[in-house]
Amino acid sequence: MRVDIQRSSIINNQRIRVSGSKSQTNRLLLLQKLYPNIHLQNISDSDDSQMMQHGLVADQEVVDIHHAGTAMRFLTAYFAMQPNRQVWLTGSSRMKERPISILVEALRQLGATIEYVEKEGFPPLKITGRKLTANQVTLNPAISSQYISALLLIAPQLENGLTLTFNGEVTSKPYIEMTLSVLSELGIPNQFVDNTVRVDYQAKVADSEIIIESDWSSASYFYSIIALAEVGTAITLSNYQERSLQGDARLVAYYRSLGVKSVFQDQCLTLIKQSESVKYFEADLRDTPDLAQTIAVTCFGLGIGCELSGLHTLKIKETDRLLALQIELTKLGAVVSIDGDGLKIEAGCSLISGVAIDTYQDHRMAMAFAPLALKTSISIKDAEVVSKSFIDFWENLQTLGFQATIVDTNPTYLK
């Protein structure tokens, strides 16, 4: 399916409901499986969370999680500590290119039995569940934080708990802190001091009713829309907290520099275009790498230069996001350079109209580029990929006033 968007303007003061945080949902789904007396509201309706739910309840020998990277990491840890259960955990062709050896080696340190079915260091995995009794793991933290969170989430059900020692600088620290905050909310003792994280064994937790906050990564696309809109334009988003567990809540500070004011009231977040942006935007996104595509496109749409660093994990996402950004922004007229783990965009580049954006089976590529329709006509190819994290995205754009036409190039997909 392709979405063609004519140059649009926004209907002011619209309200949008955003589904629950994918990051929080997937953590809590695993914990709910370990502690069934946890009850959840506002669960994410993303494909990733649906795959996570499917994997946790599946009783077959082969579990296929398709493109869901979080589910691959979290379920690897979960199945490894399920005695007398053997699972073949697999995914899409792209998933088979995403490394998982660091997590597998960490689980093996705890006593897990995991074999690579095809290529060494990559899914699919043959996991033979064991009772894990070791409780010490040392690993390099300059990796996807999901490896670390996967270990922390199963830790309270390991009879000796778990101590993780990091031998370097931690990447995406807010996501690790989110995991620990979720554990704390359930009364599970933990601590993170210097380069060591400790989670204690907890046989039971109290009955809990948890309302999952809406997804901040999804909010980023509306921040981009407001940044590119006329001064005075506003959008209100549902179920957001000023003191959030989600690392991507740093959007408030990032987009303040890009002219967007954030107002919290009655569990809602109102975004208001208040002023012009800075002339040059610079940020280290090592703790918030999922925001890189959105911020890069926003800066290009505003005609300002930017320099984004700390993006080494983007190369192992759904696609090589740094390279994909460079290719697609260049098609639009940007001058983009990649240097190691960073990306630079020159200021004042002319925006080319009518470009068709390739999405590389990456939901964030599709959603990050869509706001440019406030500046020019644009097409988004393979637009159904948004369902991975934000199934109602295109309908929400139409609600806001975007002239978005859905072209069904794959009749078997929609109905």
Side-chain angles (χ1 to χ4, degrees), residues 5 220-222 224-225 228 294 297-298 366-375 393 397 402:
I5 318 176
S220 71
Y221 313 115
F222 299 104
S224 185
I225 287 168
L228 296 173
T294 311
V297 173
T298 302
M367 293 183 284
F369 279 85
L372 286 179
L374 294 179
K375 301 292 183 180
F393 180 74
L397 286 197
F402 280 72

Side-chain angles (χ1 to χ4, degrees), residues 249-358:
R250 294 189 185 186
L251 280 165
V252 173
Y254 293 150
Y255 273 83
R256 187 184 301 122
S257 298
L258 298 173
V260 180
K261 180 180 180 181
S262 302
V263 179
F264 294 88
Q265 186 175 12
D266 299 328
Q267 300 299 307
C268 288
L269 167 62
T270 299
L271 311 179
I272 306 168
K273 180 61 179 288
Q274 194 171 47
S275 63
E276 296 302 316
S277 69
V278 296
K279 300 301 181 184
Y280 191 82
F281 184 88
E282 187 173 358
D284 183 339
L285 301 182
R286 72 183 61 209
D287 289 337
T288 54
D290 284 344
L291 302 181
Q293 290 144 293
T294 311
I295 292 173
V297 173
T298 302
C299 291
F300 171 64
L302 290 170
I304 66 173
C306 76
E307 181 174 356
L308 307 177
S309 59
L311 303 180
H312 57 280
T313 61
L314 293 195
K315 293 182 179 294
I316 60 169
K317 297 287 187 177
E318 284 78 351
T319 186
D320 181 339
R321 286 178 171 169
L322 279 177
L323 181 59
L325 267 175
Q326 183 181 42
I327 292 170
E328 300 309 310
L329 284 169
T330 300
K331 284 161 59 173
L332 285 158
V335 178
V336 185
S337 59
I338 297 173
D339 181 15
D341 68 347
L343 176 143
K344 293 181 182 179
I345 303 174
E346 291 188 9
C349 300
S350 298
L351 181 57
I352 299 172
S353 182
V355 171
I357 299 298
D358 288 297

Side-chain angles (χ1 to χ4, degrees), residues 41-68:
Q41 295 184 32
N42 198 34
I43 289 175
S44 170
D45 58 10
S46 65
D47 284 352
D48 274 18
S49 292
Q50 291 180 31
M51 285 295 100
M52 186 72 185
Q53 288 177 294
H54 164 72
L56 287 168
V57 301
D59 58 4
Q60 62 263 43
E61 184 177 348
V62 178
V63 176
D64 186 346
I65 51 77
H66 302 288
H67 301 305

Side-chain angles (χ1 to χ4, degrees), residues 95-266:
M95 188 60 62
K96 293 179 181 181
E97 297 173 349
R98 299 178 69 177
I100 198 167
S101 60
I102 292 173
L103 176 58
V104 169
E105 290 308 311
L107 288 165
R108 285 172 173 173
Q109 288 183 49
L110 296 175
T113 300
I114 305 174
E115 303 170 51
Y116 297 111
V117 177
E118 296 177 7
K119 184 179 178 182
E120 188 76 12
F122 298 83
L125 305 173
K126 180 181 177 183
I127 305 170
T128 303
R130 299 273 187 248
K131 182 179 181 180
L132 306 182
T133 56
N135 67 346
Q136 302 277 342
V137 172
T138 299
L139 72 169
N140 180 355
I143 52 172
S144 170
S145 62
Q146 290 179 7
Y147 299 150
I148 298 167
S149 288
L151 296 167
L152 297 177
L153 289 168
I154 66 168
Q157 282 289 291
L158 304 181
E159 64 179 22
N160 296 312
L162 178 64
T163 298
L164 297 183
T165 302
F166 304 131
N167 56 12
E169 185 178 0
V170 178
T171 295
S172 301
K173 189 174 181 180
Y175 286 96
I176 299 170
E177 292 172 339
M178 178 201 296
T179 302
L180 296 175
S181 295
V182 169
L183 296 178
S184 296
E185 188 174 358
L186 297 172
I188 297 170
N190 64 83
Q191 59 180 355
F192 189 175
V193 179
D194 297 328
N195 278 3
T196 301
V197 181
R198 171 71 191 174
V199 177
D200 293 341
Y201 171 70
Q202 186 86 359
K204 299 179 180 179
V205 299
D207 290 349
S208 302
E209 187 82 31
I210 298 176
I211 300 174
I212 298 170
E213 183 187 20
S214 292
D215 192 83
W216 274 94
S217 301
S218 295
S220 71
Y221 313 115
F222 299 104
Y223 270 95
S224 185
I225 287 168
I226 291 297
L228 296 173
E230 300 293 329
V231 171
T233 307
I235 298 172
T236 297
L237 307 177
S238 67
N239 199 30
Y240 284 93
Q241 303 166 14
E242 189 166 7
R243 296 182 178 179
S244 175
L245 298 179
Q246 299 176 58
D248 285 353
R250 294 189 185 186
L251 280 165
V252 173
Y254 293 150
Y255 273 83
R256 187 184 301 122
S257 298
L258 298 173
V260 180
K261 180 180 180 181
S262 302
V263 179
F264 294 88
Q265 186 175 12
D266 299 328

